[in-house]
Amino acid sequence: QVQLVQSGGGLVQAGGSLRLSCTASRWTGGSGHNMAWFRQAPGNERELVGCWRWRTQFSTYSNSVKGRFTIARDYSKNTFTLQMNSLKPEDTAMYYCARSREYAEECTKNQDYLTWGQGTQVTVSS
């Protein structure tokens, strides 16, 4: 069974950068899985930050992070990264990577994500 192990995150001042990584071990299935980053701040619902669509090999981002965050997928290393630049205090949250069910068409449907990382805390100070 596939496992997603996250690394990175931490504390940074506003305007700074962080990089999150998500490494898949015991990858099962082929390459037809969408990947996504979600985040959840205390008292808030989990929200989609951005996702990578297997069919097009392109990423989609929420409006709140567009232009600041970048998703990358490395098949050879089974890694999925989130580069976060120009961080703001409102980016503070627990961040999760996730893998969708196989052959999901769109990457923005939360219910398609079946495998999750353990979560990584990102804190941005003002």
Side-chain angles (χ1 to χ4, degrees), residues 2-126:
V2 65
Q3 290 184 334
L4 302 179
V5 179
Q6 296 179 222
S7 61
L11 173 65
V12 67
Q13 288 188 332
S17 299
L18 285 174
R19 185 172 181 266
L20 305 183
S21 292
C22 175
T23 301
S25 62
R26 297 194 293 271
W27 185 273
T28 57
S31 58
H33 295 271
N34 298 322
M35 299 292 295
W37 288 97
F38 291 82
R39 67 185 181 187
Q40 187 168 20
N44 291 354
E45 292 186 355
R46 185 173 295 185
E47 65 168 330
L48 179 68
V49 173
C51 59
W52 182 90
R53 194 174 174 213
W54 68 272
R55 185 178 289 281
T56 61
Q57 310 269 307
F58 283 107
S59 297
T60 300
Y61 301 90
S62 68
N63 288 334
S64 61
V65 307
K66 196 174 296 183
R68 300 187 297 122
F69 289 14
T70 303
I71 284 171
R73 175 84 168 90
D74 186 337
Y75 278 109
S76 65
K77 298 179 181 179
N78 269 340
T79 58
F80 181 61
T81 59
L82 179 67
Q83 177 66 41
M84 303 182 291
N85 299 327
S86 302
L87 282 160
K88 304 175 181 180
E90 51 264 42
D91 294 318
T92 295
M94 185 72 77
Y95 284 70
Y96 299 89
C97 65
R99 188 183 87 155
S100 77
R101 63 176 176 82
E102 198 166 18
Y103 304 130
E105 279 300 321
E106 300 299 328
C107 70
T108 55
K109 295 182 179 179
N110 293 16
Q111 62 267 32
D112 284 340
Y113 290 92
L114 306 180
T115 305
W116 294 81
Q118 80 277 17
T120 303
Q121 179 67 37
V122 171
T123 304
V124 184
S125 63
S126 58

